[in-house]
Protein backbone atom coordinates (compact mmCIF):
# COMPACT_ATOMS: atom_id res chain seq x y z
CA UNK A 1 0.00 0.00 0.00
CA UNK A 2 1.29 3.44 -0.98
CA UNK A 3 0.34 6.68 0.74
CA UNK A 4 0.24 9.82 -1.39
CA UNK A 5 -0.69 13.44 -0.81
CA UNK A 6 -2.75 15.48 -3.28
CA UNK A 7 -2.75 19.27 -2.98
CA UNK A 8 -5.29 21.31 -4.89
CA UNK A 9 -4.26 24.98 -4.90
CA UNK A 10 -7.31 26.92 -5.97
CA UNK A 11 -8.10 30.60 -6.21
CA UNK A 12 -10.04 30.52 -2.93
CA UNK A 13 -8.69 27.64 -0.87
CA UNK A 14 -5.86 25.14 -0.66
CA UNK A 15 -6.76 21.54 0.11
CA UNK A 16 -4.63 18.56 1.01
CA UNK A 17 -5.96 15.02 0.94
CA UNK A 18 -3.87 12.04 2.03
CA UNK A 19 -4.81 8.86 0.24
CA UNK A 20 -3.97 5.19 0.70
CA UNK A 21 -3.54 3.44 -2.67
CA UNK A 22 -4.21 -0.30 -2.57
CA UNK A 23 -2.11 -2.50 -4.82
CA UNK A 24 -5.05 -3.70 -6.90
CA UNK A 25 -6.46 -0.36 -8.06
CA UNK A 26 -8.49 0.98 -5.14
CA UNK A 27 -8.02 3.93 -2.79
CA UNK A 28 -9.26 5.46 0.44
CA UNK A 29 -8.90 9.00 1.81
CA UNK A 30 -7.36 8.88 5.30
CA UNK A 31 -6.78 12.54 6.11
CA UNK A 32 -7.41 16.03 4.80
CA UNK A 33 -6.61 19.64 5.59
CA UNK A 34 -8.10 22.81 4.15
CA UNK A 35 -7.06 26.45 4.43
CA UNK A 36 -8.60 29.55 2.90
CA UNK A 37 -5.69 31.31 1.14
CA UNK A 38 -7.64 33.54 -1.29
CA UNK A 39 -4.76 33.38 -3.75
CA UNK A 40 -6.86 34.93 -6.51
CA UNK A 41 -8.06 37.90 -4.45
CA UNK A 42 -7.49 41.37 -5.99
CA UNK A 43 -5.94 39.88 -9.13
CA UNK A 44 -8.46 41.65 -11.35
CA UNK A 45 -6.60 44.94 -10.85
CA UNK A 46 -3.30 44.08 -12.50
CA UNK A 47 -3.08 40.29 -13.00
CA UNK A 48 -0.46 39.71 -10.28
CA UNK A 49 -0.64 37.38 -7.28
CA UNK A 50 -0.37 39.68 -4.26
CA UNK A 51 2.55 39.33 -1.77
CA UNK A 52 0.23 38.84 1.21
CA UNK A 53 -1.63 36.04 -0.59
CA UNK A 54 1.63 34.40 -1.67
CA UNK A 55 2.96 34.54 1.91
CA UNK A 56 -0.25 32.95 3.21
CA UNK A 57 0.02 30.22 0.57
CA UNK A 58 3.62 29.44 1.50
CA UNK A 59 2.65 29.23 5.17
CA UNK A 60 -0.20 26.84 4.28
CA UNK A 61 1.91 24.63 2.03
CA UNK A 62 4.56 24.31 4.74
CA UNK A 63 1.84 23.01 7.07
CA UNK A 64 0.69 20.60 4.38
CA UNK A 65 4.24 19.39 3.87
CA UNK A 66 4.70 18.82 7.60
CA UNK A 67 1.51 16.72 7.79
CA UNK A 68 2.57 14.69 4.74
CA UNK A 69 6.00 13.98 6.23
CA UNK A 70 4.49 13.00 9.60
CA UNK A 71 1.97 10.71 7.86
CA UNK A 72 4.55 8.79 5.85
CA UNK A 73 3.48 10.14 2.46
CA UNK A 74 5.79 8.86 -0.25
CA UNK A 75 4.99 11.49 -2.87
CA UNK A 76 2.98 14.68 -3.19
CA UNK A 77 1.02 15.67 -6.29
CA UNK A 78 0.28 19.39 -6.35
CA UNK A 79 -1.86 21.14 -8.93
CA UNK A 80 -2.82 24.79 -9.31
CA UNK A 81 -5.77 26.18 -11.22
CA UNK A 82 -7.09 29.51 -12.51
CA UNK A 83 -5.36 32.06 -10.26
CA UNK A 84 -1.88 30.67 -10.90
CA UNK A 85 -2.74 29.81 -14.51
CA UNK A 86 -3.38 33.46 -15.45
CA UNK A 87 -0.94 35.16 -13.02
CA UNK A 88 1.65 37.40 -14.67
CA UNK A 89 4.10 36.47 -11.91
CA UNK A 90 3.43 32.72 -12.23
CA UNK A 91 7.08 31.72 -12.76
CA UNK A 92 8.42 33.59 -9.73
CA UNK A 93 5.56 32.22 -7.60
CA UNK A 94 6.30 28.61 -8.59
CA UNK A 95 10.03 29.11 -7.92
CA UNK A 96 9.29 30.62 -4.51
CA UNK A 97 7.07 27.67 -3.54
CA UNK A 98 9.73 25.21 -4.68
CA UNK A 99 12.44 27.01 -2.69
CA UNK A 100 10.44 27.49 0.52
CA UNK A 101 8.30 24.36 0.63
CA UNK A 102 10.10 21.79 -1.53
CA UNK A 103 6.88 21.32 -3.47
CA UNK A 104 6.68 21.30 -7.26
CA UNK A 105 3.40 22.58 -8.64
CA UNK A 106 1.81 21.54 -11.92
CA UNK A 107 -0.28 24.36 -13.37
CA UNK A 108 -3.26 22.75 -15.04
CA UNK A 109 -4.50 23.98 -18.38
CA UNK A 110 -8.22 24.76 -18.60
CA UNK A 111 -8.75 21.50 -20.51
CA UNK A 112 -6.78 19.42 -17.98
CA UNK A 113 -8.77 20.92 -15.11
CA UNK A 114 -12.13 20.30 -16.80
CA UNK A 115 -11.08 16.74 -17.65
CA UNK A 116 -10.11 15.95 -14.04
CA UNK A 117 -13.42 17.34 -12.76
CA UNK A 118 -15.22 15.17 -15.32
CA UNK A 119 -13.26 12.08 -14.26
CA UNK A 120 -14.08 12.73 -10.61
CA UNK A 121 -17.78 12.81 -11.48
CA UNK A 122 -18.00 10.04 -14.08
CA UNK A 123 -16.16 7.53 -11.87
CA UNK A 124 -18.37 8.20 -8.83
CA UNK A 125 -21.86 8.85 -10.24
CA UNK A 126 -24.24 6.71 -12.26
CA UNK A 127 -25.63 9.56 -14.38
CA UNK A 128 -25.50 8.63 -18.08
CA UNK A 129 -25.91 12.16 -19.46
CA UNK A 130 -24.68 15.09 -17.40
CA UNK A 131 -23.92 18.80 -17.48
CA UNK A 132 -21.36 19.60 -14.78
CA UNK A 133 -21.12 23.08 -13.25
CA UNK A 134 -18.01 23.56 -11.11
CA UNK A 135 -17.68 26.94 -9.41
CA UNK A 136 -14.16 27.68 -8.24
CA UNK A 137 -12.67 30.80 -6.71
CA UNK A 138 -11.26 32.12 -9.98
CA UNK A 139 -13.15 30.29 -12.71
CA UNK A 140 -16.34 28.46 -13.57
CA UNK A 141 -16.13 25.18 -15.46
CA UNK A 142 -18.93 23.65 -17.53
CA UNK A 143 -18.57 20.11 -18.84
CA UNK A 144 -21.08 18.22 -20.99
CA UNK A 145 -20.89 14.45 -21.32
CA UNK A 146 -23.04 11.65 -22.68
CA UNK A 147 -22.65 7.86 -22.53
CA UNK A 148 -19.53 8.30 -20.38
CA UNK A 149 -17.80 10.41 -23.03
CA UNK A 150 -16.80 14.04 -22.51
CA UNK A 151 -18.27 15.99 -25.44
CA UNK A 152 -17.74 19.69 -24.67
CA UNK A 153 -16.30 21.94 -22.00
CA UNK A 154 -16.00 25.65 -21.32
CA UNK A 155 -13.99 27.58 -18.74
CA UNK A 156 -15.22 31.05 -17.84
CA UNK A 157 -12.46 33.08 -16.12
CA UNK A 158 -14.76 34.23 -13.33
CA UNK A 159 -15.32 32.46 -10.02
CA UNK A 160 -16.76 33.17 -6.59
CA UNK A 161 -13.73 35.21 -5.45
CA UNK A 162 -13.17 37.19 -8.63
CA UNK A 163 -16.87 37.95 -9.12
CA UNK A 164 -17.12 39.14 -5.51
CA UNK A 165 -14.14 41.46 -6.10
CA UNK A 166 -15.50 42.72 -9.42
CA UNK A 167 -18.95 43.69 -8.16
CA UNK A 168 -18.27 44.64 -4.54
CA UNK A 169 -16.29 47.74 -5.38
CA UNK A 170 -19.27 49.70 -6.68
CA UNK A 171 -20.75 50.04 -3.20
CA UNK A 172 -24.03 48.42 -4.16
CA UNK A 173 -26.23 46.64 -1.65
CA UNK A 174 -25.69 42.85 -1.41
CA UNK A 175 -28.88 42.12 -3.33
CA UNK A 176 -27.93 44.47 -6.17
CA UNK A 177 -24.47 42.89 -6.37
CA UNK A 178 -26.00 39.42 -6.71
CA UNK A 179 -28.43 40.60 -9.38
CA UNK A 180 -25.61 42.19 -11.38
CA UNK A 181 -23.56 38.97 -11.16
CA UNK A 182 -26.59 37.04 -12.44
CA UNK A 183 -26.89 39.35 -15.42
CA UNK A 184 -23.17 39.24 -16.11
CA UNK A 185 -22.97 35.43 -15.97
CA UNK A 186 -26.09 35.03 -18.12
CA UNK A 187 -24.32 37.11 -20.75
CA UNK A 188 -21.20 34.95 -20.44
CA UNK A 189 -23.23 31.75 -20.80
CA UNK A 190 -24.73 33.13 -23.98
CA UNK A 191 -21.26 33.02 -25.50
CA UNK A 192 -21.01 29.24 -25.02
CA UNK A 193 -22.56 28.11 -28.30
CA UNK A 194 -22.92 24.39 -27.53
CA UNK A 195 -25.00 25.18 -24.41
CA UNK A 196 -27.81 26.19 -26.77
CA UNK A 197 -28.03 22.68 -28.23
CA UNK A 198 -28.27 20.47 -25.12
CA UNK A 199 -30.46 17.39 -25.00
CA UNK A 200 -33.57 18.14 -22.93
CA UNK A 201 -33.03 15.20 -20.54
CA UNK A 202 -29.50 16.16 -19.46
CA UNK A 203 -28.94 16.13 -15.68
CA UNK A 204 -27.24 19.14 -14.09
CA UNK A 205 -24.49 18.22 -11.62
CA UNK A 206 -23.01 20.75 -9.18
CA UNK A 207 -19.38 20.43 -8.03
CA UNK A 208 -17.32 22.44 -5.57
CA UNK A 209 -17.32 23.96 -2.11
CA UNK A 210 -20.23 26.30 -2.76
CA UNK A 211 -22.49 23.39 -3.67
CA UNK A 212 -21.34 21.49 -0.58
CA UNK A 213 -22.22 24.52 1.57
CA UNK A 214 -25.57 24.75 -0.18
CA UNK A 215 -26.26 21.13 0.80
CA UNK A 216 -25.37 21.78 4.43
CA UNK A 217 -27.63 24.84 4.62
CA UNK A 218 -30.51 22.99 2.95
CA UNK A 219 -29.92 20.03 5.27
CA UNK A 220 -30.37 22.31 8.29
CA UNK A 221 -33.48 23.96 6.85
CA UNK A 222 -35.22 20.68 6.01
CA UNK A 223 -33.67 18.62 8.84
CA UNK A 224 -32.40 16.15 6.27
CA UNK A 225 -31.28 12.96 8.07
CA UNK A 226 -28.21 12.05 6.00
CA UNK A 227 -24.81 13.74 6.13
CA UNK A 228 -23.88 12.48 2.67
CA UNK A 229 -23.54 15.31 0.16
CA UNK A 230 -22.61 13.09 -2.80
CA UNK A 231 -25.62 12.37 -5.03
CA UNK A 232 -27.89 14.74 -3.10
CA UNK A 233 -30.71 15.91 -5.34
CA UNK A 234 -31.94 19.47 -4.86
CA UNK A 235 -34.90 21.03 -6.63
CA UNK A 236 -34.68 24.51 -8.09
CA UNK A 237 -37.81 25.19 -6.08
CA UNK A 238 -35.81 24.57 -2.87
CA UNK A 239 -32.75 26.47 -4.13
CA UNK A 240 -34.42 29.76 -5.07
CA UNK A 241 -35.77 30.69 -1.58
CA UNK A 242 -32.35 29.98 -0.05
CA UNK A 243 -30.66 32.15 -2.64
CA UNK A 244 -33.20 34.96 -2.15
CA UNK A 245 -32.66 34.79 1.60
CA UNK A 246 -28.85 34.73 1.50
CA UNK A 247 -28.25 37.38 -1.17
CA UNK A 248 -29.86 40.21 0.85
CA UNK A 249 -27.92 39.60 4.09
CA UNK A 250 -24.88 41.55 5.18
CA UNK A 251 -21.67 39.67 5.98
CA UNK A 252 -22.22 39.41 9.74
CA UNK A 253 -25.65 37.85 9.26
CA UNK A 254 -24.37 35.46 6.59
CA UNK A 255 -21.71 34.19 8.99
CA UNK A 256 -24.46 33.17 11.41
CA UNK A 257 -26.23 30.89 8.91
CA UNK A 258 -26.11 27.31 10.15
CA UNK A 259 -24.30 25.05 7.73
CA UNK A 260 -22.36 27.88 6.05
CA UNK A 261 -18.59 28.00 6.45
CA UNK A 262 -17.58 31.38 7.89
CA UNK A 263 -14.60 31.42 5.50
CA UNK A 264 -16.96 31.20 2.52
CA UNK A 265 -19.68 33.57 3.78
CA UNK A 266 -18.49 36.61 1.79
CA UNK A 267 -18.20 34.78 -1.56
CA UNK A 268 -21.18 32.40 -1.36
CA UNK A 269 -23.71 34.93 -2.74
CA UNK A 270 -21.60 35.31 -5.89
CA UNK A 271 -21.43 31.52 -6.29
CA UNK A 272 -25.18 31.18 -5.78
CA UNK A 273 -25.78 33.97 -8.32
CA UNK A 274 -23.83 31.83 -10.82
CA UNK A 275 -26.03 28.84 -9.98
CA UNK A 276 -29.16 30.99 -10.40
CA UNK A 277 -27.99 32.25 -13.79
CA UNK A 278 -27.14 28.71 -14.88
CA UNK A 279 -30.37 26.96 -13.83
CA UNK A 280 -32.38 29.77 -15.43
CA UNK A 281 -30.36 29.65 -18.63
CA UNK A 282 -30.70 25.88 -19.16
CA UNK A 283 -34.15 25.60 -17.58
CA UNK A 284 -33.12 23.10 -14.89
CA UNK A 285 -35.83 22.04 -12.45
CA UNK A 286 -33.33 20.26 -10.20
CA UNK A 287 -29.66 19.44 -9.87
CA UNK A 288 -27.56 16.75 -8.25
CA UNK A 289 -24.62 17.69 -6.04
CA UNK A 290 -21.43 15.69 -6.43
CA UNK A 291 -19.03 15.36 -3.51
CA UNK A 292 -16.35 14.30 -5.97
CA UNK A 293 -14.49 16.51 -8.41
CA UNK A 294 -10.96 17.41 -9.41
CA UNK A 295 -9.17 15.80 -6.45
CA UNK A 296 -11.12 12.55 -6.85
CA UNK A 297 -10.24 12.63 -10.55
CA UNK A 298 -6.57 12.67 -9.59
CA UNK A 299 -7.06 9.97 -6.93
CA UNK A 300 -8.70 7.48 -9.23
CA UNK A 301 -6.20 8.12 -12.02
CA UNK A 302 -3.40 7.38 -9.54
CA UNK A 303 -5.07 4.26 -8.13
CA UNK A 304 -6.31 2.93 -11.46
CA UNK A 305 -4.29 4.43 -14.35
CA UNK A 306 -6.57 2.79 -16.94
CA UNK A 307 -9.25 5.39 -16.04
CA UNK A 308 -7.20 8.00 -17.90
CA UNK A 309 -8.44 6.31 -21.08
CA UNK A 310 -11.68 4.65 -19.96
CA UNK A 311 -13.91 5.30 -16.93
CA UNK A 312 -14.77 2.65 -14.34
CA UNK A 313 -17.45 0.47 -15.93
CA UNK A 314 -19.39 -0.31 -12.73
CA UNK A 315 -19.24 2.62 -10.30
CA UNK A 316 -21.23 0.88 -7.54
CA UNK A 317 -19.23 -2.34 -7.64
CA UNK A 318 -15.97 -0.38 -7.56
CA UNK A 319 -16.95 1.49 -4.40
CA UNK A 320 -18.34 -1.68 -2.75
CA UNK A 321 -15.12 -3.58 -3.45
CA UNK A 322 -13.13 -0.68 -2.01
CA UNK A 323 -15.13 -0.84 1.23
CA UNK A 324 -14.85 -4.64 1.48
CA UNK A 325 -11.08 -4.30 1.29
CA UNK A 326 -10.96 -1.33 3.66
CA UNK A 327 -13.12 -3.06 6.28
CA UNK A 328 -11.12 -6.27 5.83
CA UNK A 329 -14.23 -8.36 5.17
CA UNK A 330 -13.90 -11.98 4.04
CA UNK A 331 -14.05 -11.43 0.27
CA UNK A 332 -15.02 -15.00 -0.66
CA UNK A 333 -17.81 -15.06 1.91
CA UNK A 334 -19.06 -11.67 0.71
CA UNK A 335 -19.08 -12.81 -2.91
CA UNK A 336 -20.92 -16.02 -2.02
CA UNK A 337 -23.58 -14.26 0.05
CA UNK A 338 -24.13 -11.72 -2.73
CA UNK A 339 -24.57 -14.49 -5.31
CA UNK A 340 -26.98 -16.46 -3.14
CA UNK A 341 -28.95 -13.27 -2.38
CA UNK A 342 -29.28 -12.53 -6.08
CA UNK A 343 -30.47 -16.07 -6.76
CA UNK A 344 -33.12 -15.77 -4.05
CA UNK A 345 -34.27 -12.38 -5.34
CA UNK A 346 -34.74 -13.73 -8.86
CA UNK A 347 -36.36 -17.01 -7.88
CA UNK A 348 -38.80 -15.40 -5.43
CA UNK A 349 -39.77 -12.58 -7.78
CA UNK A 350 -43.20 -14.08 -8.35
CA UNK A 351 -43.82 -13.54 -4.62
CA UNK A 352 -42.17 -10.18 -3.92
CA UNK A 353 -42.75 -8.61 -7.38
CA UNK A 354 -40.03 -6.00 -6.79
CA UNK A 355 -38.63 -4.11 -9.80
CA UNK A 356 -34.98 -4.65 -10.66
CA UNK A 357 -33.84 -1.49 -8.85
CA UNK A 358 -34.26 -3.28 -5.51
CA UNK A 359 -31.67 -5.83 -6.56
CA UNK A 360 -29.15 -2.99 -6.24
CA UNK A 361 -30.32 -2.36 -2.67
CA UNK A 362 -29.96 -6.04 -1.81
CA UNK A 363 -26.50 -6.17 -3.38
CA UNK A 364 -25.26 -3.26 -1.23
CA UNK A 365 -26.71 -4.81 1.92
CA UNK A 366 -25.33 -8.28 1.10
CA UNK A 367 -21.86 -6.90 0.35
CA UNK A 368 -21.59 -4.87 3.56
CA UNK A 369 -23.79 -6.92 5.91
CA UNK A 370 -20.83 -7.90 8.11
CA UNK A 371 -18.85 -4.65 8.00
CA UNK A 372 -20.13 -3.80 11.50
CA UNK A 373 -17.88 -6.52 12.91
CA UNK A 374 -15.02 -4.01 12.48
CA UNK A 375 -16.59 -2.31 15.52
CA UNK A 376 -17.81 -5.32 17.52
CA UNK A 377 -19.25 -8.75 16.72
CA UNK A 378 -22.13 -8.42 19.15
CA UNK A 379 -24.95 -6.39 17.57
CA UNK A 380 -22.86 -6.09 14.43
CA UNK A 381 -25.95 -5.75 12.16
CA UNK A 382 -26.68 -2.54 14.04
CA UNK A 383 -23.12 -1.35 13.48
CA UNK A 384 -23.37 -2.32 9.80
CA UNK A 385 -26.50 -0.15 9.57
CA UNK A 386 -24.60 2.88 10.82
CA UNK A 387 -21.54 2.21 8.66
CA UNK A 388 -23.56 1.82 5.45
CA UNK A 389 -25.38 5.09 6.16
CA UNK A 390 -22.03 6.86 6.46
CA UNK A 391 -19.88 4.98 3.95
CA UNK A 392 -18.46 6.36 0.71
CA UNK A 393 -20.89 4.71 -1.68
CA UNK A 394 -21.01 5.64 -5.35
CA UNK A 395 -23.66 4.87 -7.95
CA UNK A 396 -26.62 4.71 -5.54
CA UNK A 397 -29.24 7.23 -4.48
CA UNK A 398 -29.65 8.35 -0.89
CA UNK A 399 -32.90 6.40 -0.64
CA UNK A 400 -31.17 3.23 -1.84
CA UNK A 401 -28.43 3.73 0.77
CA UNK A 402 -30.99 4.01 3.55
CA UNK A 403 -32.90 0.94 2.33
CA UNK A 404 -29.66 -1.06 2.12
CA UNK A 405 -28.66 -0.02 5.65
CA UNK A 406 -31.96 -1.18 7.13
CA UNK A 407 -31.83 -4.40 5.07
CA UNK A 408 -28.38 -5.18 6.48
CA UNK A 409 -29.69 -4.43 9.96
CA UNK A 410 -32.30 -7.19 9.45
CA UNK A 411 -29.90 -9.94 8.43
CA UNK A 412 -29.94 -11.46 11.91
CA UNK A 413 -32.83 -11.56 14.37
CA UNK A 414 -32.67 -7.82 15.12
CA UNK A 415 -35.82 -5.90 14.21
CA UNK A 416 -36.08 -2.34 12.90
CA UNK A 417 -36.06 0.33 15.60
CA UNK A 418 -39.16 2.52 15.03
CA UNK A 419 -37.29 5.64 16.13
CA UNK A 420 -34.52 4.98 13.61
CA UNK A 421 -37.09 4.41 10.87
CA UNK A 422 -38.94 7.63 11.76
CA UNK A 423 -35.73 9.65 11.27
CA UNK A 424 -35.81 8.86 7.55
CA UNK A 425 -39.51 9.48 6.91
CA UNK A 426 -38.68 12.18 4.33
CA UNK A 427 -36.42 9.80 2.38
CA UNK A 428 -38.51 6.61 2.52
CA UNK A 429 -41.97 5.68 1.29
CA UNK A 430 -44.82 4.28 3.40
CA UNK A 431 -44.51 0.72 2.08
CA UNK A 432 -40.71 0.59 2.27
CA UNK A 433 -40.71 -1.17 5.64
CA UNK A 434 -42.28 -4.26 4.06
CA UNK A 435 -39.75 -4.12 1.24
CA UNK A 436 -36.88 -3.94 3.73
CA UNK A 437 -38.22 -6.88 5.74
CA UNK A 438 -38.52 -9.06 2.64
CA UNK A 439 -35.05 -8.13 1.42
CA UNK A 440 -33.74 -8.69 4.96
CA UNK A 441 -35.17 -12.21 5.09
CA UNK A 442 -33.56 -13.05 1.75
CA UNK A 443 -30.22 -11.74 3.00
CA UNK A 444 -30.56 -13.65 6.26
CA UNK A 445 -31.16 -16.93 4.43
CA UNK A 446 -28.31 -16.26 1.98
CA UNK A 447 -25.87 -15.59 4.81
CA UNK A 448 -27.00 -18.69 6.70
CA UNK A 449 -26.42 -20.79 3.59
CA UNK A 450 -22.73 -19.86 3.88
CA UNK A 451 -22.64 -20.09 7.68
CA UNK A 452 -19.33 -21.95 7.76
CA UNK A 453 -17.88 -19.67 5.05
CA UNK A 454 -16.87 -22.79 3.14
CA UNK A 455 -19.00 -22.20 0.05
CA UNK A 456 -20.47 -25.68 0.29
CA UNK A 457 -23.88 -24.58 -1.03
CA UNK A 458 -23.30 -23.72 -4.67
CA UNK A 459 -26.80 -22.78 -5.76
CA UNK A 460 -30.50 -22.66 -4.92
CA UNK A 461 -33.63 -23.74 -6.81
CA UNK A 462 -36.97 -22.62 -5.43
CA UNK A 463 -40.33 -24.28 -6.14
CA UNK A 464 -43.49 -22.50 -5.00
CA UNK A 465 -46.11 -25.13 -4.23
CA UNK A 466 -49.36 -24.07 -2.58
CA UNK A 467 -48.60 -22.45 0.73
CA UNK A 468 -44.94 -23.51 0.76
CA UNK A 469 -41.64 -22.59 -0.82
CA UNK A 470 -39.41 -25.62 -1.33
CA UNK A 471 -35.80 -24.48 -1.47
CA UNK A 472 -33.52 -27.13 -3.00
CA UNK A 473 -29.82 -26.59 -2.43
CA UNK A 474 -26.94 -27.65 -4.69
CA UNK A 475 -24.39 -28.96 -2.21
CA UNK A 476 -20.75 -30.05 -2.20
CA UNK A 477 -19.95 -31.63 1.17
CA UNK A 478 -21.85 -31.45 4.44
CA UNK A 479 -24.34 -28.55 4.59
CA UNK A 480 -26.12 -29.54 7.82
CA UNK A 481 -24.99 -26.39 9.63
CA UNK A 482 -26.03 -24.12 6.77
CA UNK A 483 -29.50 -25.61 6.29
CA UNK A 484 -30.17 -25.72 10.04
CA UNK A 485 -29.18 -22.05 10.40
CA UNK A 486 -31.23 -20.97 7.39
CA UNK A 487 -34.34 -22.67 8.76
CA UNK A 488 -34.24 -20.34 11.80
CA UNK A 489 -35.53 -17.67 9.42
CA UNK A 490 -38.70 -19.69 8.81
CA UNK A 491 -40.96 -17.56 11.00
CA UNK A 492 -39.75 -14.27 9.46
CA UNK A 493 -40.08 -15.78 5.98
CA UNK A 494 -43.70 -16.74 6.69
CA UNK A 495 -44.50 -13.22 7.97
CA UNK A 496 -42.97 -11.57 4.93
CA UNK A 497 -44.01 -13.91 2.12
CA UNK A 498 -47.04 -15.69 3.69
CA UNK A 499 -45.50 -19.04 2.78
CA UNK A 500 -43.93 -21.85 4.76
CA UNK A 501 -40.25 -22.42 4.12
CA UNK A 502 -38.68 -25.82 3.53
CA UNK A 503 -35.00 -26.23 2.71
CA UNK A 504 -33.69 -29.47 1.27
Amino acid sequence: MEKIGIIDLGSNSARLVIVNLFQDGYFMVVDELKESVRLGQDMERDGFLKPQRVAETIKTLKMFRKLCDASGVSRIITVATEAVRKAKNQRSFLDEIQANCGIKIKVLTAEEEATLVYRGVINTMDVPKGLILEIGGGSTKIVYYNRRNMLNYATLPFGAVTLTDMFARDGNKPEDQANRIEEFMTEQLGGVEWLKELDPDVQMIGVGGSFRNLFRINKMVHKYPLDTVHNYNMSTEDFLPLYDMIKVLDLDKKKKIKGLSAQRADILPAALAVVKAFVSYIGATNFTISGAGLREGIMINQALPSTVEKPVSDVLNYSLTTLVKWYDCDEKHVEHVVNLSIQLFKQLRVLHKFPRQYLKVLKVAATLHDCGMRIKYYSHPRHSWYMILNATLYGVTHREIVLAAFTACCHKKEDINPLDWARFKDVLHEDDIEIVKRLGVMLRIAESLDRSMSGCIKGINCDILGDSVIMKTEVEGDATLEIRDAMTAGAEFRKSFHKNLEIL
Side-chain angles (χ1 to χ4, degrees), residues 241-368:
L242 285 181
Y243 172 54
D244 290 338
M245 178 267 291
I246 291 170
K247 73 178 183 181
V248 302
L249 300 177
D250 61 33
L251 183 57
D252 288 338
K253 289 180 180 178
K254 285 197 286 280
K255 286 182 178 180
K256 295 177 182 177
I257 297 174
K258 291 182 179 180
L260 173 57
S261 166
Q263 294 176 331
R264 194 175 289 271
D266 60 331
I267 63 172
L268 185 65
L272 298 187
V274 175
V275 178
K276 170 60 165 58
F278 196 76
V279 297
S280 298
Y281 189 84
I282 68 171
T285 57
N286 65 82
F287 52 87
T288 303
I289 299 177
S290 171
L294 183 147
R295 291 180 296 279
E296 285 72 20
I298 297 173
M299 291 176 208
I300 198 162
N301 286 173
Q302 291 294 314
L304 198 61
S306 62
T307 54
V308 172
E309 301 294 333
K310 185 179 179 182
V312 170
S313 58
D314 188 338
V315 171
L316 174 58
N317 190 61
Y318 181 80
S319 68
L320 286 174
T321 303
T322 300
L323 291 170
V324 167
K325 292 177 180 297
W326 183 247
Y327 294 142
D328 195 27
C329 300
D330 187 301
E331 294 185 42
K332 289 185 177 179
H333 174 63
V334 166
E335 182 180 3
H336 205 56
V337 172
V338 169
N339 287 337
L340 292 172
S341 297
I342 291 172
Q343 289 182 48
L344 282 170
F345 183 93
K346 291 178 177 179
Q347 293 189 37
L348 296 176
R349 182 171 277 146
V350 69
L351 295 180
H352 61 68
K353 299 177 183 177
F354 296 154
R356 185 174 178 80
Q357 71 189 75
Y358 290 104
L359 188 56
K360 184 190 291 188
V361 172
L362 182 58
K363 181 177 180 180
V364 173
T367 303
L368 300 176

Side-chain angles (χ1 to χ4, degrees), residues 22-84:
F22 308 157
Q23 291 182 349
D24 39 4
Y26 301 90
F27 69 92
M28 183 63 69
V29 174
V30 295
D31 204 350
E32 73 165 351
L33 193 58
K34 174 195 171 187
E35 291 291 325
S36 178
V37 295
R38 295 290 170 91
L39 190 57
Q41 197 163 49
D42 299 327
M43 276 190 68
E44 293 302 315
R45 300 175 187 174
D46 54 13
F48 282 86
L49 299 170
K50 299 301 178 283
Q52 180 184 352
R53 301 292 102 210
V54 173
E56 188 65 31
T57 301
I58 290 173
K59 178 181 175 183
T60 295
L61 292 180
K62 283 182 177 179
M63 286 194 300
F64 286 1
R65 184 61 193 250
K66 180 179 180 181
L67 182 58
C68 287
D69 292 343
S71 302
V73 166
S74 60
R75 56 192 173 99
I76 302 174
I77 300 165
T78 305
V79 297
T81 52
E82 182 70 15
V84 180

Side-chain angles (χ1 to χ4, degrees), residues 177-226:
Q177 291 173 19
N179 292 336
R180 290 188 62 190
I181 292 171
E182 275 185 56
E183 294 172 4
F184 176 78
M185 288 305 294
T186 300
E187 184 180 337
Q188 299 300 314
L189 293 171
V192 183
E193 291 298 323
W194 55 263
L195 267 181
K196 302 170 184 176
E197 302 174 355
L198 291 175
D199 290 339
D201 58 342
V202 67
Q203 176 63 41
M204 176 182 162
I205 300 169
V207 177
S210 296
F211 279 104
R212 291 191 294 271
N213 268 258
L214 186 57
F215 161 76
R216 287 194 287 270
I217 296 169
N218 203 49
K219 169 183 165 63
M220 299 296 291
V221 169
H222 293 282
K223 297 181 180 178
Y224 190 69
L226 282 175

Side-chain angles (χ1 to χ4, degrees), residues 336-337 340-341 344 441-450:
H336 205 56
V337 172
L340 292 172
S341 297
L344 282 170
V441 169
M442 285 186 266
L443 175 55
R444 180 175 172 184
I445 293 171
E447 194 206 25
S448 291
L449 293 178
D450 194 39

